[in-house]
C-alpha cells in the first residue's frame, strides 16, 4: 500500500531513494556515509530499500584528470566506466559496518521500454530484496547514447519506483524543499504539499545543468515526482543532508501525494528463499 503522507514513511514496506552527483562527489564524497547511515536504519527496521545513485561520471573525472564534466559521449562513457567501480566500492565500504551487501543494477532507457528487459530487471531487483541485498541502481552510462538516455536519474528513480511497486520515493536534492520560484528570487515561497492533480503552472522551476558534475534541477524533480505519483507512489523531495529525517517521517521537504485511484503495483512481493 502506498504511503499517503510523509509521516507514514517509517512504516513503508519498500522505498526508493535517489541521490544526485553533486551530493556524493568531489568535496561531498563524505556524505555517502550520511546517506548510508539513514538507509541502514530504515533497512534495520524492515523496510526494503533501493538506492538510485548518480555520480559515476563525476566520481571518475579525477581519475581521468578532468576538471569539468566531459561533453563528448566517449569521454563520458570512459569516466563512467572508471567512476562506477569506485562509487560502488565507496557505498559497500560504508555499508560494511551494518553487514549490508550492495547489489549493482545498471539500466538504460531501452531496458525499461522493452517488455522482456523490464521484466528481467524487476525480477532481479525482487530477488535482491528478497535476499536482503540493497540494490544500487544507476543509468548504464558506459553504453547509453545521447538519443536513448533517461536524461536524469530523477526520472529513472520514478520509473524504478513504479517498476517494483514501491510505497514511496525520496528524491534528494541540494535544498530542503521546492519553492514557488527559484529560492534566490524575491517572493519565493516553500511548497509543503502537492495534492494529486494540483495545477503547478503558476510556479517557476529551474532546470538544466545545475553544476559542473550533474544535470537536473527543480523542474526534473517535479516532473519525476508527478510521474511517480501517477503510478500511485508518494514522493518526498528534500535535501540529501536531511535524508535521515526524511525516512523517519519528519515534516520536511515537499510531499507529492499519490494518485488514490492508481491500480495496484504489478508485483507480488519480494522473491525470498
Amino acid at each position: 500500500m502506498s504511503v499517503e503522507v510523509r509521516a507514514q514513511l517509517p512504516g513503508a514496506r519498500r522505498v526508493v531513494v535517489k541521490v544526485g552527483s553533486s551530493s556524493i562527489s568531489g568535496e561531498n564524497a563524505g556524505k555517502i556515509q550520511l546517506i548510508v547511515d539513514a538507509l541502514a536504519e530504515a533497512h534495520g527496521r524492515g523496510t526494503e530499500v533501493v538506492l538510485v545513485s548518480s555520480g559515476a561520471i563525476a566520481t571518475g573525472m579525477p581519475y581521468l584528470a578532468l576538471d569539468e564534466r566531459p561533453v563528448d559521449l566517449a569521454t563520458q562513457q570512459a569516466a563512467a566506466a572508471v567512476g562506477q567501480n569506485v562509487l560502488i566500492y565507496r557505498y559497500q565500504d560504508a555499508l560494511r559496518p551494518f553487514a549490508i551487501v550492495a547489489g549493482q543494477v545498471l539500466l538504460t532507457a531501452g531496458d525499461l521500454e522493452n517488455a522482456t528487459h523490464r521484466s528481467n530487471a524487476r525480477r532481479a531487483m525482487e530477488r535482491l530484496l528478497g535476499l536482503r541485498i540493497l540494490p544500487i541502481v544507476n543509468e548504464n552510462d558506459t553504453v547509453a547514447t545521447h538519443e536513448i538516455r533517461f536524461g536524469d536519474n530523477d526520472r529513472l528513480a520514478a520509473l524504478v519506483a513504479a517498476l517494483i511497486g514501491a510505497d514511496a520515493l525520496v528524491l534528494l536534492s541540494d535544498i530542503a524543499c521546492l519553492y514557488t520560484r527559484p529560492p534566490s528570487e524575491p517572493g519565493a515561497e516553500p511548497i509543503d504539499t502537492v495534492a494529486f492533480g494540483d495545477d503547478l503552472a503558476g510556479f517557476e522551476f529551474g532546470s538544466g545543468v545545475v553544476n559542473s558534475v550533474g544535470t537536473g534541477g527543480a523542474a526534473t524533480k517535479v516532473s519525476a515526482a508527478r510521474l511517480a505519483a501517477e503510478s500511485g507512489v508518494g514522493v518526498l523531495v528534500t535535501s540529501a543532508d536531511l535524508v535521515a529525517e526524511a525516512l523517519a517521517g519528519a515534516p520536511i521537504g515537499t510531499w507529492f501525494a499519490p494518485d488514490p485511484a492508481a491500480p495496484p503495483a504489478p508485483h507480488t512481493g519480494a522473491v525470498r528463499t
Side-chain angles (χ1 to χ4, degrees), residues 174-223:
D174 296 327
I175 56 176
C177 66
L178 296 175
Y179 289 80
T180 53
R181 61 179 59 190
S184 59
E185 295 185 6
E189 297 289 340
I191 302 173
D192 179 78
T193 302
V194 178
F196 183 77
D198 271 2
D199 183 6
L200 302 180
F203 299 152
E204 300 175 15
F205 299 112
S207 62
V209 176
V210 294
N211 49 54
S212 62
V213 297
T215 60
T220 66
K221 286 173 175 55
V222 171
S223 177

Side-chain angles (χ1 to χ4, degrees), residues 2-9 158 167-171 173 176-180 190-201 203 205 217-238 252-260:
S2 178
V3 170
E4 297 178 353
V5 295
R6 57 167 73 81
Q8 296 174 344
L9 273 165
D167 296 332
L169 167 63
V170 178
L171 297 175
S173 178
C177 66
L178 296 175
Y179 289 80
T180 53
I191 302 173
D192 179 78
T193 302
V194 178
F196 183 77
D198 271 2
D199 183 6
L200 302 180
F203 299 152
F205 299 112
T220 66
K221 286 173 175 55
V222 171
S223 177
R226 304 203 82 165
L227 178 63
E230 289 172 1
S231 300
V233 181
V235 184
L236 181 66
V237 180
T238 193
I252 59 172
T254 301
W255 175 256
F256 287 77
D259 180 359

Side-chain angles (χ1 to χ4, degrees), residues 18-29 32 53-72 75-88 90-91 138-139 141-142 149 153 209-215:
K18 183 268 177 179
V19 62
S21 299
S22 62
S23 297
I24 55 166
S25 62
E27 62 183 17
N28 287 327
I32 284 180
S53 176
S54 303
I57 293 175
T59 300
M61 283 166 46
Y63 296 92
L64 275 61
L66 298 173
D67 295 325
E68 296 182 350
R69 182 184 176 92
V71 296
D72 66 289
T75 307
Q76 288 178 3
Q77 292 170 326
V82 173
Q84 188 65 36
N85 173 57
V86 176
L87 185 61
I88 290 296
R90 289 175 179 173
Y91 276 121
N138 195 0
E139 181 162 16
D141 292 306
T142 304
R149 294 178 66 90
N153 273 355
V209 176
V210 294
N211 49 54
S212 62
V213 297
T215 60

Side-chain angles (χ1 to χ4, degrees), residues 59-146:
T59 300
M61 283 166 46
Y63 296 92
L64 275 61
L66 298 173
D67 295 325
E68 296 182 350
R69 182 184 176 92
V71 296
D72 66 289
L73 182 59
T75 307
Q76 288 178 3
Q77 292 170 326
V82 173
Q84 188 65 36
N85 173 57
V86 176
L87 185 61
I88 290 296
Y89 172 80
R90 289 175 179 173
Y91 276 121
Q92 185 58 70
D93 193 46
L95 286 164
R96 190 168 292 112
F98 302 101
I100 298 174
V101 176
Q104 179 176 257
V105 180
L106 298 178
L107 299 171
T108 65
D111 291 326
L112 297 187
E113 293 171 356
N114 179 286
T116 300
H117 292 187
R118 186 171 61 250
S119 177
N120 287 340
R122 179 191 296 123
R123 183 170 59 246
M125 281 190 277
E126 293 284 1
R127 186 69 177 117
L128 287 169
L129 292 170
L131 293 168
R132 296 295 286 160
I133 304 298
L134 196 156
I136 300 179
V137 183
N138 195 0
E139 181 162 16
N140 194 346
D141 292 306
T142 304
V143 300
T145 66
H146 290 307

